[in-house]
Amino acid sequence: MKIALFATCIVDAMYPRVAQATVQILERLGHEVVFPAGQACCGQMHLNSGYFREALPVVENHVRAFEGGFDSGEYDVAVAPSGSCVASVKHQHSMVARWAEERGVRRAGGGSGATLEARANAVGERTYELSQLLTDVLGITDASAQLGSYLPGTITYHPSCHGMRLLRLGDRPLSLLRTVEALDVVALPEAEQCCGFGGTFSVKNADVSSAMLADKVDSICATGASACAGGDVSCLMHIGGGLSREGRTSADGTPVRTVHLAEVLASTREDPLRFDGELALAGGAR
Amino acid sequence: MSGTSAREEILARVREALGQTGGEPRGDEPGDAAGGPCAYRAASGLDEDALVELLVDRLVDYKARVEVVEPDRLAEAIRTRLEGKRFVVPEGLPAAWLDPSLEESKVTDSREARIGVELLDELDAVVTSSAVSIAETGTIVLDGSPDQGRRAISLVPDHHVCVVPVETIVGIVPEGFTRLDATRPLTLISGPSATSDIELERVEGVHGPRTLDVLIVR
Amino acid sequence: MTAVSLGMPALPPRGFGNISAVEPFPDAAHRELGNAQLRANLAHATHTIRDKRLRVVSELPDWEALRDAGSAIKAEAMSRLPELLAQFEEQFTARGGKVHWARDASEANRIAEELIRATGSQDVVKVKSMATQEIGLNEYLEARGISAFETDLAELIVQLGHDKPSHILVPAIHRNRTEIRDIFLREMPDVDPELTDEPRRLAMAARAHLRKKFLSAKVAISGANFGIAETGTLGVVESEGNGRMCVTLPETLITIMGIEKVLPRAQDLEVFMQLLPRSSTGERMNPYTSLWTGATPGDGPQNVHVILLDNGRTRALADRHGRSALHCIRCSACMNVCPVYERTGGHAYGSTYPGPIGAILSPLLTGVEAEENASLPYASSLCGACFDACPVKINIPEILVYLRGEDVEAKHGRGQAAGPNDGSPRKGSGRRRGLPTQMDVAMGAASWALTSGNRLGLLEKGLPVARALAGRDRKISRLPGLAAGWTQSRDVPAPPPESFRNWWKKRERGAADDHTDSGGTR
Ligand code: SF4
């Protein structure tokens, strides 16, 4: 299968290794990965902050960057290692297109004459979150056997809200993690509680966001795990930033860090992901 | 000032508010999603044994006192509950339900001959029948029929002895409403009054009767 | 008071009363977050109700179907509102009741006052009603020499404590038992001075305190959970029996009901009487529900009134993206699952309507451009827990985002391009214009950068410099401006030496070492 990678802006600029891990997993399965060069961002930060006018060109750019490859058969599906970005592509892009049309902000038609709403829907329908693609499309049920995933250690998992409630990912990410060889996955108390990130909520309502973060950090540390996995780097950056600020350490005295699902699945016996990163943050690169 | 002008103006505003968007809700608006045909349960399909068992379970859960009695033992069951108490009954309560020994301590009320609220407050108990009971939610409904009386009599006395004929028990809420006439004064009772307003700790018995005694007649 | 000429394409006027934030949400939240007792009480309360709700909801095999039905009935009621209101009036009147209409809070207060004066009574008993809180009825009557006694235990605690409710279901949730005992000792004239803080003893003290009031009251004021158009029936859902007392014993009963509370058919109760108790108190059924239709000869109040209240509801109705907020049945489930509400409590929202629903309903009632409520739609991380919990499926997160958009538009004085059929409430007065904020500038710049892969790629060339700035510990602990909100409690990781885009390009070009050893850059 030919798969277009939507890296998402934050992974592209801040967490390239998450996209690299995604490429590794897919290539290991024998699929061909394409990176549409025009891509930049899904626009959810603008949208969720109410800046619809500013979001519109970002959304148009995304649709333009991806639709051609679907049409020409260059790839069959698109995947992003982010629940919230996929949720935005699937649910919000058509909404902002409709908004722009109602307001007469811009008559946005494609070369084909289709409305932006229709074009956005077409792209959204074929865009998957990573665990969704692996489970529903590629039929992965055993990460160890099918992907060679191997990672010694203990981790816990935080289901980010948009993946959980907008995409209804359900058990998919956890089922994948549970089949990683040598990995002990411990349940996170109050897992479905929001971590408090919420995009610009984290700066506009910094106090409430910080209070939510403090509770999430406590829950994670109560598990004794050395890392918290997740499917959304924005939440992971927020949680990781809190863990780092508070200097939280796990049972073995190392800093508790955050890690993306893709990184865990890409980890193999030959080249295992190491939890001795430079920081308790999932950011940066080695 | 509450005349037609406010009425006309509000109705005009509503029409205008709807008119701006064509009145009918659009399917693609938040929350406007059409529910389609009613897919919720219309009936429970439980038999009489199951209905009685479920109702008893729910009432006990609400801390009501419950007993299932045979028809010819009802008067006796009522008598034991009213021993030494002064009580009120609605005019239409079947005479056979009350043991003659209770005659002295009984006060009868009707819509036409209402007893005062001060007297009601001095009485210890009330005996009524009931219109419908919903097993799944442990709900007993009074509808103001002559054997249930005015709403005040089942409210002010502190002890409510309530008779539930088995044929009035239904399984779930929709079956209950099917049997009820909304234009009658209806009171749905699910256990004794209760509050959880202080640190969410449930306390049974606030303003309504603090003791609910249910006699299921079967 | 309004000067809307009928038939003109103007928006309905805004609502007034206790439906506005008094200060920006972040400021209020900051203060409330500092109250440790409040946070502990709230966490306990919300978690307890949350668990109970989940338990009783999971018992019903058809819960989702009931939610769909509830949502559909409400949408139908809104779309048929003029007809249903007229039908309700006709039925209620035919059965001996009297219907009044109030355009706004002050008109409703005036009508209620006149009705009370006509009875010659100087005091009234009240059963918990959000509508009367919204219009500030107690304060209004108080100022005119009429005492209104709250009879719901929590409302009584709030009233005696000269306080404001913080939750729509358990309004005194911010008070613990010791605080409540102290309030009772101070404010109840005939209270037992030995009163302990045991909840049962406190409840019995309230019973004794209110008993005389109930038995002697001539006038009661209530809200209504439902009004049935088909039959003219009103309903009050409650627990303690104070509602039954109020709607049964006094000679005069005045009900104040928002126009959105009307349901088409009596049969619709079978849906809402399943949705409401389970969603609100987490019970299979609440202890008491009273339904009455006009006046019943010989039984209960004979002088029965209902005041149908607009106060901004038509304003909200005119907003097709926001109107489903009017479907709310005030169960409070959205509050109990909300991570923001759990930490700030209800007072931070200012309005009578707190929590997620308040964050959309208050601005919709006052008009989105009303400055005082502009911060409310941002009081959410958009986690979506409210939408999942809502028994009538109000998509609160989507409406929050939409209202943020309206706020940004209003702030910039935009929206001139809107067509004549645009349902937006921005038209008319109150549009704010201002200099660009830091957020505006950041959003504008980000929009430019994120509108093309090339632009983003160009900017990413600066990553090594930023990485160097982060220093040896590879983290950034303090940022200026808006971003200071971020670094208040979180570090920022040092950026990577190169972007994914760059890495990919090199790999595509056949930079062999990267290609064969992609793990090395992970
Ligand atoms: S918005 Fe929904 S969940 Fe919140 S109070 Fe209203 S009905 Fe309940």
Side-chain angles (χ1 to χ4, degrees):
Chain A
M1 185 174 262
K2 285 174 288 187
I3 301 167
L5 173 66
F6 171 34
T8 76
C9 64
I10 182 170
V11 165
D12 180 19
M14 292 294 285
Y15 300 87
R17 65 185 188 197
V18 172
Q20 288 157 1
T22 306
V23 173
Q24 279 183 348
I25 298 167
L26 297 176
E27 290 183 347
R28 214 180 279 159
L29 286 166
H31 300 291
E32 186 189 325
V33 180
V34 179
F35 180 80
Q39 66 174 280
C41 169
C42 66
Q44 70 165 310
M45 176 179 72
H46 290 96
L47 276 167
N48 287 342
S49 306
Y51 287 78
F52 294 180
R53 277 167 207 263
E54 286 77 3
L56 185 62
V58 180
V59 168
E60 283 179 320
N61 179 70
H62 181 85
V63 172
R64 208 180 309 118
F66 279 86
E67 64 186 350
F70 285 129
D71 293 345
S72 69
E74 194 187 345
Y75 39 79
D76 313 298
V77 295
V79 67
S82 161
S84 64
C85 300
V86 172
S88 177
V89 168
K90 280 186 175 300
H91 302 300
Q92 290 188 311
H93 284 192
S94 53
M95 181 196 98
V96 75
R98 219 162 42 232
W99 177 90
E101 195 140 325
E102 279 172 15
R103 295 288 152 106
V105 171
R106 191 187 303 186
R107 285 281 154 198
S112 60
T115 62
L116 179 60
E117 182 178 354
R119 293 162 59 209
N121 277 331
V123 171
E125 272 162 27
R126 294 205 253 179
T127 304
Y128 293 83
E129 185 272 343
L130 180 61
S131 71
Q132 235 175 5
L133 182 82
L134 290 174
T135 312
D136 300 357
V137 182
L138 305 180
I140 305 301
T141 52
D142 187 332
S144 166
Q146 292 167 281
L147 294 171
S149 308
Y150 166 89
L151 184 62
T154 305
I155 63 163
T156 187
Y157 172 77
H158 166 64
S160 284
C161 302
H162 290 182
M164 176 171 56
R165 300 204 179 88
L166 288 173
L167 297 180
R168 304 277 172 207
L169 294 182
D171 269 353
R172 291 179 184 84
L174 259 180
S175 310
L176 290 169
L177 287 173
R178 287 207 187 95
T179 54
V180 172
E181 189 184 351
L183 186 64
D184 193 8
V185 182
V186 289
L188 178 66
E190 304 265 333
E192 68 300 330
Q193 280 280 297
C194 176
C195 68
F197 170 62
T200 48
F201 172 77
S202 60
V203 295
K204 274 203 169 224
N205 277 286
D207 292 324
V208 186
S209 171
S210 300
M212 290 160 71
L213 172 61
D215 291 342
K216 182 57 73 180
V217 161
D218 284 344
S219 302
I220 291 169
C221 294
T223 66
S226 48
C228 174
D232 244 307
V233 289
S234 43
C235 303
L236 294 178
M237 180 164 105
H238 163 81
I239 296 170
L243 286 163
S244 163
R245 174 59 57 84
E246 293 191 20
R248 293 301 190 100
T249 51
S250 65
D252 59 9
T254 57
V256 182
R257 52 170 285 168
T258 51
V259 61
H260 193 279
L261 172 71
E263 296 178 90
V264 178
L265 297 180
S267 173
T268 58
R269 194 176 279 277
E270 296 70 38
D271 182 21
L273 175 71
R274 271 170 284 159
F275 283 154
D276 60 352
E278 57 194 19
L279 256 188
L281 289 172
R286 292 218 308 269
Chain B
M1 85 171 30
S2 59
T4 51
S5 68
R7 178 186 192 277
E8 292 318 314
E9 193 172 321
I10 291 172
L11 287 174
R13 287 176 187 175
V14 174
R15 274 191 291 267
E16 206 169 279
L18 294 171
Q20 283 182 352
T21 53
E24 289 307 310
R26 284 175 34 169
D28 56 349
E29 294 309 323
D32 280 357
C38 287
Y40 60 86
R41 295 171 301 159
S44 69
L46 296 177
D47 64 17
E48 194 178 285
D49 285 344
L51 287 176
V52 170
E53 191 185 334
L54 188 58
L55 180 62
V56 169
D57 176 80
R58 298 310 196 225
L59 287 168
V60 167
D61 192 45
Y62 292 139
K63 305 234 165 47
R65 304 199 319 216
V66 199
E67 194 185 330
V68 182
V69 297
E70 284 165 19
D72 55 1
R73 287 217 45 258
L74 177 61
E76 172 62 11
I78 292 176
R79 191 187 61 76
T80 58
R81 279 160 182 76
L82 294 176
E83 215 131 35
K85 296 195 169 189
R86 290 185 67 210
F87 63 94
V88 58
V89 295
E91 193 188 26
L93 196 81
W97 291 6
L98 293 177
D99 190 276
S101 68
L102 295 169
E103 198 55 38
E104 292 271 285
S105 39
K106 183 186 82 175
V107 181
T108 303
D109 179 271
S110 71
R111 285 188 186 181
E112 294 70 34
R114 301 183 291 275
I115 63 173
V117 74
E118 296 75 18
L119 174 56
L120 263 185
D121 191 36
E122 284 167 21
L123 299 177
D124 305 302
V126 56
V127 186
T128 71
S129 185
S130 55
V132 168
S133 290
I134 302 165
E136 186 174 76
T137 59
T139 304
I140 301 171
V141 188
L142 308 184
D143 72 355
S145 294
D147 58 356
Q148 297 151 52
R150 295 190 301 134
R151 285 170 286 169
I153 65 165
S154 50
L155 172 63
V156 178
D158 205 13
H159 180 184
H160 183 186
V161 178
C162 187
V163 177
V164 173
V166 74
E167 64 278 9
T168 63
I169 305 175
V170 299
I172 60 176
V173 173
E175 294 171 284
F177 277 99
T178 303
R179 291 202 190 183
L180 291 165
D181 174 0
T183 62
R184 302 188 67 89
L186 299 181
T187 307
L188 281 65
I189 299 172
S190 306
S193 75
T195 183
S196 300
D197 281 347
I198 301 166
E199 294 184 16
L200 288 174
E201 203 165 288
R202 187 174 160 106
V203 175
E204 271 88 15
V206 193
H207 304 297
R210 284 181 284 192
T211 308
L212 176 64
D213 237 321
V214 181
L215 296 169
I216 300 173
V217 189
R218 192 187 181 198
Chain C
M1 55 138 283
T2 51
V4 172
S5 55
L6 305 183
M8 289 284 288
L11 280 163
R14 57 167 292 180
F16 291 93
N18 303 323
I19 45 176
S20 293
V22 280
E23 61 186 321
F25 184 83
D27 299 348
H30 178 81
R31 190 185 48 250
E32 301 292 313
L33 279 167
N35 184 340
Q37 179 70 57
L38 171 74
R39 279 183 69 183
N41 292 356
L42 278 170
H44 169 66
T46 53
H47 284 252
T48 308
I49 309 184
R50 214 183 276 173
D51 294 346
K52 282 178 70 182
R53 188 188 74 85
L54 278 179
R55 258 203 313 279
V56 295
V57 161
S58 63
E59 271 181 19
L60 291 191
D62 54 349
W63 183 250
E64 289 307 317
L66 285 166
R67 288 178 78 206
D68 285 336
S71 170
I73 293 167
K74 281 291 187 179
E76 180 199 346
M78 291 305 117
S79 68
R80 295 175 53 203
L81 200 51
E83 164 204 345
L84 294 178
L85 287 169
Q87 191 187 11
F88 175 85
E89 178 183 45
E90 190 186 309
Q91 294 296 321
F92 193 78
T93 309
R95 295 188 164 86
K98 176 122 179 52
V99 177
H100 311 260
W101 301 72
R103 281 165 283 214
D104 56 26
S106 44
E107 190 166 16
N109 285 333
R110 272 199 315 275
I111 296 169
E113 182 196 356
E114 277 173 21
L115 293 173
I116 298 164
R117 293 230 184 269
T119 68
S121 185
Q122 288 297 307
D123 48 30
V124 299
V125 285
K126 281 189 64 200
V127 54
K128 190 169 91 173
S129 143
M130 310 240 31
T132 61
Q133 262 166 43
E134 170 189 325
I135 62 175
L137 180 65
N138 288 8
E139 299 84 338
Y140 177 93
L141 293 177
E142 210 73 50
R144 284 156 187 80
I146 298 173
S147 311
F149 296 97
E150 292 293 351
T151 63
D152 182 78
L153 177 53
E155 295 285 348
L156 177 71
I157 295 165
V158 167
Q159 189 176 44
L160 294 178
H162 309 288
D163 201 357
K164 278 173 64 180
S166 60
H167 188 285
I168 66 178
L169 176 70
V170 266
I173 203 62
H174 56 294
R175 297 284 197 186
N176 65 21
R177 59 183 73 188
T178 313
E179 292 174 289
I180 294 168
R181 185 204 51 194
D182 294 346
I183 292 170
F184 281 10
L185 286 175
R186 201 172 58 234
E187 303 284 337
M188 284 180 178
D190 43 2
V191 75
D192 171 11
E194 305 287 289
L195 184 65
T196 67
D197 64 3
E198 191 199 331
R200 169 166 303 280
R201 304 257 337 245
L202 295 170
M204 290 313 116
R207 175 186 165 101
H209 175 74
L210 288 171
R211 192 92 185 156
K212 289 185 284 287
K213 294 251 155 46
F214 284 134
L215 300 182
S216 61
K218 299 265 177 296
V219 184
I221 293 183
S222 85
N225 292 91
F226 323 103
I228 309 293
E230 178 189 28
T231 52
T233 302
L234 291 171
V236 161
V237 173
E238 52 130 359
S239 292
E240 295 166 12
N242 59 314
R244 289 178 72 188
M245 291 279 181
C246 287
V247 307
T248 305
L249 298 183
E251 190 54 26
T252 298
L253 173 59
I254 304 164
T255 301
I256 301 182
M257 180 176 86
I259 53 172
E260 83 284 16
K261 291 272 178 272
V262 69
L263 295 174
R265 299 156 293 263
Q267 201 202 344
D268 298 331
L269 288 172
E270 72 188 25
V271 173
F272 291 98
M273 286 312 295
Q274 295 192 74
L275 289 174
L276 181 55
R278 290 183 199 252
S279 299
S280 72
T281 48
E283 294 168 300
R284 296 185 180 108
M285 190 63 89
N286 51 290
Y288 297 137
T289 297
S290 297
L291 298 165
W292 69 97
T293 307
T296 304
D299 184 357
Q302 298 300 299
N303 185 22
V304 179
H305 299 265
V306 62
I307 301 172
L308 298 176
L309 177 70
D310 179 351
N311 201 39
R313 285 159 177 78
T314 49
R315 176 77 160 217
L317 190 66
D319 189 331
R320 72 164 167 201
H321 296 286
R323 70 160 62 135
S324 62
L326 293 175
H327 298 181
C328 174
I329 57 172
R330 313 278 188 263
C331 73
S332 77
C334 58
M335 266 151 253
N336 296 328
V337 298
C338 177
V340 176
Y341 177 90
E342 176 189 336
R343 288 168 179 87
T344 65
H347 292 157
Y349 297 79
S351 162
T352 295
Y353 304 106
I357 182 63
I360 59 172
L361 187 58
S362 304
L364 284 164
L365 291 175
T366 59
V368 185
E369 75 292 345
E371 189 88 51
E372 61 271 28
N373 281 336
S375 67
L376 291 180
Y378 299 95
S380 165
S381 63
L382 304 178
C383 78
C386 48
F387 183 25
D388 274 9
C390 179
V392 288
K393 289 191 149 177
I394 301 173
N395 191 336
I396 297 175
E398 195 167 302
I399 300 177
L400 284 167
V401 169
Y402 158 71
L403 291 175
R404 292 175 186 187
E406 292 298 288
D407 175 58
V408 169
E409 293 279 297
K411 272 198 183 106
H412 296 161
R414 289 164 170 174
Q416 311 292 357
N421 285 329
D422 176 72
S424 128
R426 274 171 297 98
K427 289 177 286 180
S429 62
R431 183 181 297 143
R432 287 163 278 143
R433 288 164 199 274
L435 294 171
T437 61
Q438 270 193 61
M439 186 66 90
D440 296 340
V441 174
M443 288 292 165
S447 173
W448 180 85
L450 297 172
T451 297
S452 119
N454 283 337
R455 287 181 196 166
L456 181 57
L458 207 65
L459 281 181
E460 286 166 351
K461 298 263 188 270
L463 286 172
V465 180
R467 182 172 172 85
L469 288 176
R472 288 255 304 277
D473 58 358
R474 296 278 160 77
K475 67 180 178 191
I476 301 163
S477 301
R478 195 180 303 152
L479 287 170
L482 259 188
W486 177 274
T487 49
Q488 153 187 336
S489 59
R490 318 153 188 98
D491 291 335
V492 180
E498 67 173 345
S499 66
F500 174 77
R501 187 183 303 270
N502 215 33
W503 176 85
W504 179 268
K505 229 184 261 167
K506 285 189 345 212
R507 192 177 96 137
E508 290 287 275
R509 272 196 232 111
D513 39 339
D514 270 13
H515 193 191
T516 52
D517 182 25
S518 52
T521 45
R522 196 179 63 230

